[in-house]
């Protein structure tokens, strides 16, 4: 009930304002479980995709969105529950992964759609990064549910970092044909199988999105970018300090 209300309240205006184009809607089954595996360009991905689907799709979200105290915290929790997101405690990497897998299996066992971002985090630069082999592949093999590759197009351009007001433009969504991995059922603890399943899905997402593929994890790239920015800032600070010293020590006529 709450999901339907929020879908009308948010999905309707979102579609009206941004007019997202969609290809491949026929690949979403009318009923039964399925996994929607998407690239991740923007926070808004989890809103645009459900907005264009007739069926409910459940994503996972960090638990902090549901546990923040105060009026704002309660409103935030109600909002994320209303748009079909499940809380997952990400305080421990392994615990978070197991919680996400358990949540995904429960959603699929109810015959619903489960949405997941195999990259594990938003792309830092618009490129497609290596998929993490744990969550997506293990949920697919444990349930036998088909995996439907999804490509979000240009959602990162709507509200780039630092921009307060979103840009009114048409993002796109391409939905690929379902992938069947039932041939690997019972092998969800084989790391080579998990890697193969994940790579196959990422390849299909790459074809749909047209993104440049980077064979490293997005989390690792984010760390590199953060460290590089920190090093650059420290170098600038050191250069300014050296220049100030030189000015102070410069002989006067």
């Amino acid at each position: 009930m709450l999901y339907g209300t929020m879908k009308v309240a948010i999905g309707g205006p979102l579609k009206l304002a941004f007019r997202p184009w969609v290809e491949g809607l026929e690949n979403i089954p009318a009923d039964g479980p399925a996994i929607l595996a998407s690239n991740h360009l923007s926070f808004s991905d989890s809103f645009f995709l459900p907005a264009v689907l007739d069926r409910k799709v459940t994503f996972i979200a960090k638990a902090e969105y549901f546990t923040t105290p105060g009026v704002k915290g309660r409103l935030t929790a109600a909002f994320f529950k209303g748009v079909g997101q499940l809380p997952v405690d990400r305080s421990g990497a392994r615990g978070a992964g197991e919680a996400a897998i358990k949540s995904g299996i429960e959603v699929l066992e109810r015959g619903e759609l489960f949405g997941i971002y195999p990259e594990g985090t938003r792309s830092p630069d618009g490129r497609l990064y290596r998929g993490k082999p744990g969550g997506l592949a293990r949920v697919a093999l444990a349930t036998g549910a088909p995996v439907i590759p999804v490509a979000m197009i240009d959602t990162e351009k709507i509200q780039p970092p630092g921009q307060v007001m979103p840009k009114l433009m048409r993002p796109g969504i391409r939905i690929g044909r379902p992938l069947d991995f039932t041939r690997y059922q019972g092998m969800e603890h084989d790391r080579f199988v998990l890697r193969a399943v994940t790579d196959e899905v990422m390849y299909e997402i790459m074809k749909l999105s047209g993104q440049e593929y980077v064979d490293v994890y997005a989390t690792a790239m984010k760390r590199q970018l953060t460290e590089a920015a920190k090093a650059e800032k420290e170098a600038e600070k050191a250069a300014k300090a050296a220049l100030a010293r030189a000015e102070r020590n410069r002989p006067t006529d």
Side-chain angles (χ1 to χ4, degrees):
M1 179 66 179
L2 182 58
Y3 181 87
T5 302
M6 293 296 283
K7 184 177 175 66
V8 172
I10 298 173
L14 202 67
K15 289 169 68 176
L16 184 64
F18 293 95
R19 299 181 299 116
W21 57 265
V22 189
E23 296 176 0
L25 270 177
E26 68 277 5
N27 292 318
I28 302 293
D31 52 47
I35 301 168
L36 305 185
S38 173
N39 61 339
H40 199 12
L41 296 172
S42 167
F43 176 78
S44 64
D45 295 337
S46 298
F47 303 110
F48 278 113
L49 182 56
V52 302
L53 300 180
D54 292 331
R55 296 183 60 188
K56 176 182 177 180
V57 55
T58 300
F59 287 89
I60 54 174
K62 59 184 180 181
E64 293 91 320
Y65 288 142
F66 299 83
T67 57
T68 303
V71 175
K72 183 179 179 181
R74 289 195 295 272
L75 289 173
T76 300
F79 171 78
F80 277 94
K81 289 176 183 176
V83 295
Q85 302 219 8
L86 293 174
V88 171
D89 184 358
R90 305 197 302 181
S91 57
R94 183 170 179 80
E98 293 300 324
I101 291 166
K102 183 175 182 292
S103 296
I105 291 173
E106 290 174 352
V107 169
L108 293 166
E109 285 179 342
R110 295 197 298 266
E112 300 174 1
L113 300 178
F114 177 62
I116 189 169
Y117 300 112
E119 292 167 280
T121 186
R122 279 175 278 175
S123 170
D125 54 15
R127 295 185 294 178
L128 183 68
Y129 284 81
R130 194 180 198 205
K132 293 192 171 183
L136 166 65
R138 283 183 59 187
V139 171
L141 300 187
T143 62
V147 178
I148 301 174
V150 176
M152 307 302 294
I153 313 291
D154 291 336
T155 52
E156 82 283 10
K157 297 176 182 177
I158 291 174
Q159 193 170 17
Q163 183 173 311
V164 178
M165 294 299 293
K167 179 181 179 181
L168 287 178
M169 58 173 291
R170 296 189 70 189
I173 303 171
R174 288 198 182 100
I175 303 169
R177 294 180 180 178
L179 304 174
D180 181 3
F181 295 108
T182 54
R183 63 190 182 278
Y184 294 126
Q185 275 194 278
M187 303 174 70
E188 58 264 29
H189 297 294
D190 186 318
R191 63 189 181 93
F192 295 106
V193 170
L194 297 180
R195 183 76 263 162
V197 169
T198 306
D199 286 346
E200 184 174 337
V201 174
M202 297 310 294
Y203 179 71
E204 293 301 321
I205 294 174
M206 181 186 71
K207 289 197 300 182
L208 291 168
S209 70
Q211 290 170 279
E212 177 186 348
Y213 179 75
V214 185
D215 196 24
V216 299
Y217 293 123
T219 48
M221 179 58 71
K222 284 186 175 181
R223 282 196 300 269
Q224 291 178 26
L225 293 173
T226 299
E227 290 168 2
K230 183 179 178 182
E232 184 178 354
K233 188 175 291 187
E234 290 176 350
E236 288 178 359
K237 184 178 179 181
K240 287 179 181 178
L243 182 60
R245 287 195 300 270
E247 287 292 333
R248 287 196 302 269
N249 297 330
R250 187 173 63 181
T252 57
D253 294 335

